[in-house]
Amino acid sequence: MKPTEELMNRFYQHLGDLFYAIAKSDKVVRKEEERVLKELITKDWLDLEDSEDVFHTDAAHLIEFAFDALNERQADAEDRFMEFKLFKQSHEHLFTSKVNDLIMRTANAIASSFSGTNKSELDMLLRLELMLKIETH
């Protein structure tokens, strides 16, 4: 059964939570991290599936909207990471190997976009990898 557009909208909003948490894990969201995320949304996420938001644009744009809103209010990275984790636990069926791979590639690109990956980003990436149950080869 195909997920509803409402569920997919929530999925993308929670991805915004996650990618914000990765960027903010070292206490600072840098312009380079934002730029990389926006590029990857356009390059990879828009083609994932065809859900639309309430404005009839590709729902994947909600990743960026959520990220920007969290950044504007300086939300706590750990809280956002845990929100994503709770959403994932409730909706495991959305997290296919393809989606998990794309999540990890996006998170790694954000973390390494500014002076490489630092300790706090690496810690969150490792926790994410365990959460997604991805085996690295």
Side-chain angles (χ1 to χ4, degrees):
M1 182 169 75
K2 183 179 179 204
T4 65
E5 286 200 354
E6 179 185 339
L7 179 58
M8 292 310 296
N9 286 341
R10 289 180 41 230
F11 170 73
Y12 289 120
Q13 290 168 345
H14 283 283
L15 285 173
D17 285 353
L18 173 67
F19 298 142
Y20 171 80
I22 298 293
K24 182 75 174 191
S25 63
D26 60 356
K27 309 290 187 234
V28 179
V29 176
R30 293 178 174 79
K31 291 292 180 197
E32 186 63 17
E33 292 168 322
E34 292 178 58
R35 185 189 65 73
V36 165
L37 174 62
K38 290 173 185 178
E39 282 179 10
L40 291 173
I41 290 169
T42 301
K43 180 178 164 255
D44 297 331
W45 288 98
L46 292 179
D47 291 334
L48 183 64
E49 51 85 52
D50 60 359
S51 294
E52 293 183 345
D53 63 17
V54 295
F55 302 108
H56 302 291
T57 60
D58 194 302
H61 288 293
L62 292 170
I63 298 169
E64 182 180 344
F65 298 146
F67 184 101
D68 290 345
L70 293 166
N71 194 28
E72 190 171 304
R73 71 174 213 253
Q74 295 293 299
D76 181 74
E78 189 60 31
D79 289 346
R80 298 296 88 208
F81 187 85
M82 295 311 292
E83 277 296 314
F84 174 80
K85 183 176 183 176
L86 290 171
F87 178 82
K88 182 189 178 296
Q89 289 170 343
S90 297
H91 300 89
E92 289 287 343
H93 64 283
L94 297 176
F95 293 86
T96 64
S97 59
K98 178 182 176 180
V99 168
N100 288 348
D101 181 57
L102 190 51
I103 290 170
M104 283 308 302
R105 283 189 288 136
T106 303
N108 278 306
I110 292 167
S112 65
S113 66
F114 184 83
S115 299
T117 307
N118 64 41
K119 187 176 189 252
S120 54
E121 291 166 332
L122 183 58
D123 175 61
M124 196 167 280
L125 287 171
L126 290 171
R127 291 170 48 211
L128 174 60
E129 188 170 19
L130 288 172
M131 181 196 319
L132 297 176
K133 298 182 178 115
I134 294 175
E135 294 182 18
T136 53
H137 299 149

